[in-house]
Amino acid sequence: IIGQQKSRSSPITTNLKKGLYMDSSSYVFRSSDTPIFLRCTCPWMKIIIVLRNPLERIVKHYQFLTSKTNFKKSFQNWIQEDLNHLIQNNVTSPGNDNEDDNDNNWNNYLQIVREGPVGHSLYEIQLRQWYRILPSKQIFIVSYEDWIQ
């Protein structure tokens, strides 16, 4: 089932006979629905999450947007706009230990922000959702820099 889900914006490689499935889209990682879906459909699966240095990820993402699309915002405005969205949705509120509130704030942010450079680099928020749903022994995290070597 999972291997048959293809997205126009995500290069997917599938080999169902070997039980392999790869998706390089960042949306799959940051969506709070994905770990729930995976647990319901493939509770035995093992997941490798490749994380890039957040600052490098932001710079490379901006370079991609400006070279491959009609993206016209300055780097500074792009960052500031995202920071404003994070603040407005209380994603970056210090001292809020209520995980349900934090998850709701994160999901509200995702509803309004498509290309959030800072928010999409807040790996702790995204990983927390995965670890809450799936056992830690099923999740392996590797840095992008180590992965490409």
Side-chain angles (χ1 to χ4, degrees), residues 12-37:
I12 295 177
T13 305
T14 306
N15 186 335
L16 294 175
K17 290 181 182 176
K18 292 184 179 180
L20 299 175
Y21 174 83
M22 294 181 71
D23 188 329
S24 63
S25 69
S26 60
Y27 176 77
V28 170
F29 171 62
R30 69 179 179 262
S31 169
S32 59
D33 295 333
T34 304
I36 295 167
F37 172 76

Side-chain angles (χ1 to χ4, degrees), residues 133-148:
I133 303 299
L134 298 169
S136 60
K137 66 182 180 184
Q138 290 180 241
I139 302 171
F140 179 72
I141 299 172
V142 64
S143 75
Y144 172 79
E145 294 76 17
D146 290 341
W147 182 264
I148 60 173

